[in-house]
Amino acid sequence: MTPVPLELPLRPAEAADLANLIFDHAEGKPLSDEVRNRLAVRASVLKFQTLTPFFGSLERDPVHHSVYYLAVDSETEPLLLHMALAAAPTSSIYHKPLLIGRMRRLNGPEMVINAIPFGPRAHQSVETFAARINSAFYPKPQGARTTITVEEDYPAAFDTFRAIQKGTGKNFAAVAGDYHGAMCAAIRAGWRSGYTVASELGTGKDLKGRERFSRYAVTIPAGANGIEDAERVIQQIRQARAALKISRGFDLELDAATPMTPLVLRNTMEGLKDRGHVPQLIYPGPFAEKELDEMAAIASHYQVTLSFRYGGEPAETVRTIAKAMAGRLDYRVRDAAEAKFVAEQLL
């Protein structure tokens, strides 16, 4: 453990109240969303001043079941609390945590509370949570699932996805841009239902630091060599992931540098099929509404999902696109408000 600083990021007494609540109501029970929600309701009456708990993130240690992990906001930074009975072994998952305190439970044994930095910039802590505590928080390929890909404000995006899922049973969850920021937001929100994280790659961009995404958007440059250039990037992705021994699957999205016609889309798909690189998604760029049904038919033939960019078009246009795509599509939006609007039309 690291030395205790003169000023802790939260009050030990509040951390103790939080830990007591968890031990009182979660110990010895299956850790379900129902239990997490019940804890959130009970915690609301405690009126914490130096911490804000995110009960959706609550997990047990996979080996030592009397050890719990919970994401919180403190007065200074986002943290992950490690709460254990004193008899439990020291965490082998996170090394050198900050000691918040050793406290005696009112009706039980002594407990130990530690803290670990756990925000969007704490890359290793976030990665470790998914790797060692619950792999459900890793982003996944979307396959044939319809998605709404949000570019900004991941916490608000996951709140929106949860509201949609609760009301309709549909999972549209996808985000783009910051891999660890997205995964941190998913953990804090308790999103275990599957989601994808997309990275945009031009043909000249270095893949370094982007090997763990679950979707790669590769631009197809204009010109006769466009497919060959995109193919080289695809090979780089596969080689870079193999070098890091990342066995999780990923989706490939090809983005047209210039708008595609139905003929260009068909020829592109044939060329990629011949090379063994058929993508899961393709962004054909803007095209005429009269071409929508033909584009949808080509996409269906090659079992590829067409991706669209929301640009403020009216609800009727979004509904027309969704109908033509028979519900299989990806819509890229800026924020949660646009995601909510698009979802209403898709549904």
Side-chain angles (χ1 to χ4, degrees):
M1 289 178 289
T2 57
V4 179
L6 293 177
E7 290 190 16
L8 292 171
L10 48 83
R11 293 176 187 169
E14 291 192 349
D17 288 343
L18 180 60
N20 273 314
L21 182 68
I22 292 169
F23 282 115
D24 286 344
H25 298 283
E27 188 74 348
K29 301 175 184 176
L31 192 51
S32 63
D33 284 340
E34 182 181 353
V35 170
R36 294 182 182 97
N37 292 336
R38 192 180 306 125
L39 285 167
V41 171
R42 292 179 180 276
S44 65
V45 303
L46 296 178
K47 301 187 184 304
F48 297 119
Q49 296 182 5
T50 64
L51 64 86
T52 302
F54 295 89
F55 281 101
S57 69
L58 183 63
E59 289 283 349
R60 278 194 178 97
D61 188 283
V63 177
H64 308 291
H65 289 182
S66 290
V67 177
Y68 296 88
Y69 294 91
L70 179 71
V72 303
D73 275 344
S74 72
E75 291 187 303
T76 57
E77 62 179 322
L79 298 170
L80 182 69
L81 293 186
H82 167 263
M83 297 164 284
L85 298 180
T90 303
S91 174
S92 61
I93 295 178
Y94 291 102
H95 304 289
K96 297 184 178 179
L98 172 65
L99 176 64
I100 299 299
R102 299 177 68 94
M103 301 89 162
R104 174 70 61 181
R105 296 197 64 213
L106 292 178
N107 298 305
E110 189 178 44
M111 59 186 176
V112 179
I113 304 175
N114 297 308
I116 303 102
F118 199 80
R121 294 182 181 85
H123 293 182
Q124 190 56 56
S125 294
V126 172
E127 187 74 28
T128 297
F129 194 99
R132 301 284 303 278
I133 297 175
N134 192 341
S135 62
F137 289 110
Y138 270 130
K140 298 175 177 62
Q142 71 187 65
R145 182 170 61 89
T146 291
T147 50
I148 300 175
T149 303
V150 181
E151 297 175 338
E152 302 173 2
D153 195 353
Y154 304 143
F158 281 108
D159 286 345
T160 299
F161 292 141
R162 187 174 299 284
I164 294 169
Q165 187 182 55
K166 186 176 180 179
T168 68
K170 298 287 186 180
N171 177 8
F172 291 150
V175 296
D178 182 349
Y179 170 83
H180 287 101
M183 191 153 64
C184 180
I187 293 169
R188 284 159 61 97
W191 186 267
R192 299 171 177 82
S193 300
Y195 66 104
T196 193
V197 183
S199 175
E200 293 189 14
L201 292 176
T203 53
K205 285 189 178 180
D206 185 359
L207 187 67
K208 187 174 182 180
R210 302 174 184 231
E211 297 90 349
R212 301 179 185 278
F213 283 78
S214 57
R215 187 205 301 170
Y216 296 93
V218 179
T219 301
I220 306 174
N225 297 325
I227 293 179
E228 287 80 2
D229 290 341
E231 184 179 23
R232 280 193 287 273
V233 178
I234 296 168
Q235 294 285 24
Q236 290 171 10
I237 293 170
R238 290 175 174 165
Q239 291 168 4
R241 290 171 66 93
L244 292 180
K245 299 181 180 179
I246 301 172
S247 59
R248 299 186 303 277
F250 66 92
D251 287 328
L252 176 65
E253 175 184 338
L254 295 183
D255 291 359
T258 56
M260 289 182 171
T261 63
L263 178 60
V264 171
L265 176 61
R266 188 182 298 277
N267 290 341
T268 299
M269 294 304 301
E270 277 298 319
L272 291 165
K273 181 179 178 182
D274 290 343
R275 291 169 170 81
H277 294 305
V278 175
Q280 285 70 45
L281 302 95
I282 193 160
Y283 170 58
F287 55 85
E289 186 173 331
K290 64 182 180 181
E291 299 174 331
L292 183 57
D293 288 340
E294 188 176 0
M295 298 290 273
I298 295 169
S300 177
H301 176 76
Y302 290 99
Q303 296 185 324
V304 66
T305 297
L306 288 189
S307 184
F308 298 85
R309 305 292 187 268
Y310 180 68
E313 55 267 28
E316 182 60 33
T317 299
V318 180
R319 288 196 293 269
T320 299
I321 291 172
K323 183 178 179 181
M325 296 298 116
R328 177 175 175 172
L329 73 160
D330 171 70
Y331 237 111
R332 180 76 69 98
V333 302
R334 188 179 69 253
D335 54 28
E338 290 185 353
K340 183 176 183 296
F341 172 80
V342 169
E344 289 170 351
Q345 315 320 315
L346 298 185
L347 294 167

